[in-house]
Amino acid sequence: MFKFEKDPILVGGPRMPYEERESDFSYGLEYFINNNFSIGASFERGGFFSVKFVYKNDPKSTKKYSYKTPEIDETENSYSKLIKNLEENGIGVKKITETSRSIGLELTQFIHPDLNIVEQIISEASSNAG
């Protein structure tokens, strides 16, 4: 897809002091590899070149997650059980903090596209860890 636009911004205006442009026109190309991924390049305002990579995930196509229960030694403490439950389900535990009123988890995860799934896993893992 070819894109072409005229820049309508007043460069020397008092409210928005933009850099002086070399051209009023910008143009670019965008190629859709599939429905979820595209790449593009553009030359903007006569002095800027950019490249972009776009990945789109369709949240409606997200599969229902099935919780995985790890093998746990019953002699382990609750925190070890919680960590194993979370890690078995694709969530890494960076840090656990505890106060007299709450427990805090610092987590990392890159495989679950929906926060509701992450919350479901944390809830189930907490319950299974005791």
Side-chain angles (χ1 to χ4, degrees):
M1 173 188 304
F2 181 73
K3 296 180 177 189
F4 180 80
E5 72 178 8
K6 182 179 185 308
D7 190 350
I9 297 174
L10 297 173
V11 177
R15 293 181 148 190
M16 301 175 122
Y18 287 99
E19 287 183 35
E20 192 66 38
R21 61 181 170 248
E22 296 175 28
S23 172
D24 287 341
F25 300 98
S26 298
Y27 53 91
L29 292 172
E30 186 166 7
Y31 178 72
F32 293 91
I33 294 172
N34 58 37
N35 288 340
N36 296 343
F37 191 70
S38 68
I39 57 175
S42 62
F43 189 64
E44 302 167 20
R45 305 177 84 216
F48 298 98
F49 180 76
S50 66
V51 177
K52 72 176 183 174
F53 302 92
V54 177
Y55 173 74
K56 298 179 211 170
N57 187 12
D58 182 7
K60 293 178 184 170
S61 69
T62 303
K63 299 175 190 167
K64 179 146 175 61
Y65 186 76
S66 179
Y67 184 81
K68 299 175 191 122
T69 306
E71 293 182 26
I72 295 177
D73 182 3
E74 291 304 317
T75 61
E76 294 184 65
N77 68 32
S78 302
Y79 291 129
S80 296
K81 291 178 188 178
L82 176 62
I83 291 168
K84 283 186 179 179
N85 275 293
L86 291 171
E87 288 179 347
E88 180 69 23
N89 289 279
I91 299 176
V93 178
K94 290 175 84 174
K95 185 165 77 171
I96 296 177
T97 56
E98 183 179 15
T99 67
S100 61
R101 302 176 76 187
S102 67
I103 295 173
L105 298 171
E106 190 173 317
L107 308 171
T108 61
Q109 75 86 25
F110 301 104
I111 63 171
H112 302 296
D114 186 353
L115 187 57
N116 292 326
I117 293 173
V118 174
E119 289 174 348
Q120 172 194 343
I121 292 169
I122 293 170
S123 175
E124 209 160 327
S126 300
S127 176
N128 287 347

